[in-house]
Amino acid sequence: MKRVLIVGAYGYFGNHLDGQTVKTRNVHKLVEERFDGKVCGFDTLKVRRNPLLLFVLLWQLIRCHTLILVPCLNNLTYVFPITYYLSKIFRYDIIEICIGGWQVEYFKGNERFKPHKLTMDLSKKIKVIFPEMKDVDRRLKSELGFKNSEYFPNFRFFDLDMPLDRNRSNEFRLVFMARVNKKKGYDTIFEFANHIRGLFNDIKIDFFGPIENDDREEFMSLVDSNRDIVSYKGVLQPENIHKTLCMYDLMLFPTTYYTEGFPGSILDAYISGIPVIATEWMHSHEFIDDGHTGYIVPFGNCQEEFERRILELYRDREKLNCMKHAAHEKCKSYSADAAWNVLSKYL
């Protein structure tokens, strides 16, 4: 029986929930449900607590036929080269599924990364590398000479027949769902809350997501001082995300991470039938159809345009409803079926 080993950050201990852990778990579920063979997983986050687990990983590598690596930055730098050289001894294939949109800059080097020529050369020799953006796939091929790159969509498991537009309250409900840190733009949202205070009493804003330790004190203080408009609702479990988000009107995503990949929160918004207002990060136009599935506002100095677009949809509910249906239609490109159609060719 063919054996597939999936190595990445699962994060079940401590209930770590972020883009990396969600994607790793979804890849595992996809392969486990549809691959005709044995599927095993190895959680790289556990190694920090127990380095002896590396011997377990070695044993799993020896026995597998295909390794699916879902690497963060450190795993790509340190774990991937080791697994590559071991693959030459134990004769297993390697599939690399990317998280985020930083791979070209990582390989070439820029102000954030030193060049990683060895990792790049080894990545060109594996069975396939799967960037989650079409633009990254194009650049890997055109700028760096990759011949084994193929676009692999970020994806979710969801019911396409889920009812849409379930906000039946008299409030205009806005939501942020992502890691809560300043670089994700929460200060922009609080500025908007200050702007509308006393003017639009039926606009409410809810935050969901794990709070970064460095930002916890400031964020909770801002929530407390804006509690007439803003609430923090904790972390949504994956099984509750879509039935919760569909009770909102609009997703807010004013990120200041320019090399953001395809944020899972935007995909979850589309599945739930709500449009997105986001800043113009590097890959924003690949995922947001400006004026249809949401609005893209300037990456820097976005405050005025950010507020204007929210209030535009507050006043024009017909336009909002059209965008809700366009957003839900968009999610069909990011289904488990779409992902499996790509991945299954290499298993």
Side-chain angles (χ1 to χ4, degrees), residues 62-127:
I62 291 171
R63 303 176 68 202
C64 79
H65 296 92
T66 300
L67 165 65
I68 298 179
L69 187 63
V70 192
C72 64
L73 179 63
N74 286 336
N75 286 346
L76 187 57
T77 303
Y78 302 110
V79 175
F80 167 65
I82 295 172
T83 60
Y84 175 83
Y85 291 122
L86 288 174
S87 75
K88 298 304 166 187
I89 300 172
F90 301 118
R91 299 184 180 278
Y92 54 81
D93 294 322
I94 299 178
I95 295 172
E96 184 180 311
I97 297 180
C98 301
I99 300 173
W102 42 267
Q103 289 76 27
V104 173
E105 287 71 27
Y106 170 87
F107 289 139
K108 292 176 66 175
N110 65 1
E111 66 278 357
R112 180 184 173 194
F113 301 112
K114 66 179 183 181
H116 290 83
K117 186 176 186 305
L118 173 63
T119 310
M120 178 179 69
D121 290 342
L122 298 183
S123 293
K124 290 180 178 179
K125 297 176 182 178
I126 63 176
K127 192 164 193 178

Side-chain angles (χ1 to χ4, degrees), residues 318-334:
E318 184 176 345
K319 172 70 171 175
L320 175 64
N321 286 332
C322 288
M323 293 179 80
K324 286 184 175 184
H325 287 279
H328 188 61
E329 189 67 23
K330 180 89 169 176
C331 79
K332 295 178 182 178
S333 302
Y334 307 109

Side-chain angles (χ1 to χ4, degrees), residues 3-56:
R3 300 176 70 94
V4 171
L5 172 63
I6 300 167
V7 174
Y10 286 80
Y12 285 115
F13 76 93
N15 195 29
H16 295 273
L17 283 174
D18 53 36
Q20 183 182 348
T21 56
V22 169
K23 186 162 188 176
T24 304
R25 296 179 195 183
N26 281 343
V27 168
H28 189 110
K29 181 180 179 181
L30 180 70
V31 178
E32 191 169 54
E33 288 184 353
R34 306 194 184 203
F35 177 68
D36 184 19
K38 177 70 174 176
V39 181
C40 302
F42 183 85
D43 188 353
T44 54
L45 293 178
K46 289 185 176 180
V47 175
R48 299 175 186 176
R49 293 188 173 189
N50 184 3
L52 292 177
L53 288 173
L54 289 172
F55 291 104
V56 175

Side-chain angles (χ1 to χ4, degrees), residues 57-309:
L57 174 59
L58 177 60
W59 175 240
Q60 290 180 318
L61 290 170
I62 291 171
R63 303 176 68 202
C64 79
H65 296 92
T66 300
L67 165 65
I68 298 179
L69 187 63
V70 192
C72 64
L73 179 63
N74 286 336
N75 286 346
L76 187 57
T77 303
Y78 302 110
V79 175
F80 167 65
I82 295 172
T83 60
Y84 175 83
Y85 291 122
L86 288 174
S87 75
K88 298 304 166 187
I89 300 172
F90 301 118
R91 299 184 180 278
Y92 54 81
D93 294 322
I94 299 178
I95 295 172
E96 184 180 311
I97 297 180
C98 301
I99 300 173
W102 42 267
Q103 289 76 27
V104 173
E105 287 71 27
Y106 170 87
F107 289 139
K108 292 176 66 175
N110 65 1
E111 66 278 357
R112 180 184 173 194
F113 301 112
K114 66 179 183 181
H116 290 83
K117 186 176 186 305
L118 173 63
T119 310
M120 178 179 69
D121 290 342
L122 298 183
S123 293
K124 290 180 178 179
K125 297 176 182 178
I126 63 176
K127 192 164 193 178
V128 65
I129 178 172
F130 284 136
E132 67 177 16
M133 269 92 46
K134 293 177 182 178
D135 184 59
V136 174
D137 177 45
R138 177 190 61 78
R139 294 181 65 202
L140 286 172
K141 293 170 179 173
S142 64
E143 296 179 23
L144 299 178
F146 275 75
K147 300 184 184 303
N148 62 334
S149 176
E150 183 171 351
Y151 165 66
F152 179 73
N154 201 354
F155 68 97
R156 292 286 191 271
F157 297 87
F158 56 87
D159 178 10
L160 273 173
D161 297 323
M162 182 181 65
L164 304 181
D165 194 19
R166 290 171 56 188
N167 180 13
R168 295 291 182 258
S169 73
N170 293 322
E171 296 176 341
F172 188 67
R173 305 188 68 198
L174 311 177
V175 62
F176 171 98
M177 189 192 73
R179 283 183 297 116
V180 179
N181 71 43
K182 201 162 190 174
K183 293 203 73 173
K184 291 287 187 179
Y186 68 66
D187 52 335
T188 301
I189 297 173
F190 283 110
E191 283 292 324
F192 172 71
N194 287 327
H195 173 72
I196 64 171
R197 178 167 288 105
L199 299 174
F200 304 94
N201 295 326
D202 56 346
I203 297 179
K204 302 297 178 185
I205 306 169
D206 289 340
F207 281 85
F208 293 95
I211 306 172
E212 295 284 320
N213 289 333
D214 291 345
D215 296 300
R216 178 175 295 275
E217 184 177 351
E218 179 188 58
F219 174 74
M220 293 308 300
S221 175
L222 287 168
V223 170
D224 186 60
S225 60
N226 290 275
R227 58 184 177 273
D228 55 327
I229 300 171
V230 176
S231 297
Y232 173 63
K233 301 282 191 172
V235 178
L236 277 173
Q237 295 303 309
E239 63 272 18
N240 296 325
I241 288 174
H242 302 140
K243 63 185 178 184
T244 300
L245 290 183
C246 68
M247 304 300 293
Y248 290 86
D249 294 298
L250 195 57
M251 169 78 73
L252 307 179
F253 193 75
T255 183
T256 64
Y257 284 103
Y258 188 65
T259 56
E260 193 94 50
F262 182 12
S265 55
I266 292 182
L267 175 50
D268 288 322
Y270 289 165
I271 294 167
S272 307
I274 59 174
V276 179
I277 295 184
T279 46
E280 193 174 16
W281 84 91
M282 180 189 294
H283 304 289
S284 58
H285 288 276
E286 184 171 327
F287 304 115
I288 300 172
D289 300 326
D290 192 26
H292 297 281
T293 64
Y295 283 124
I296 299 173
V297 300
F299 186 76
N301 300 314
C302 72
Q303 193 69 48
E304 183 177 345
E305 182 72 1
F306 181 74
E307 294 174 0
R308 186 178 75 82
R309 289 302 193 182

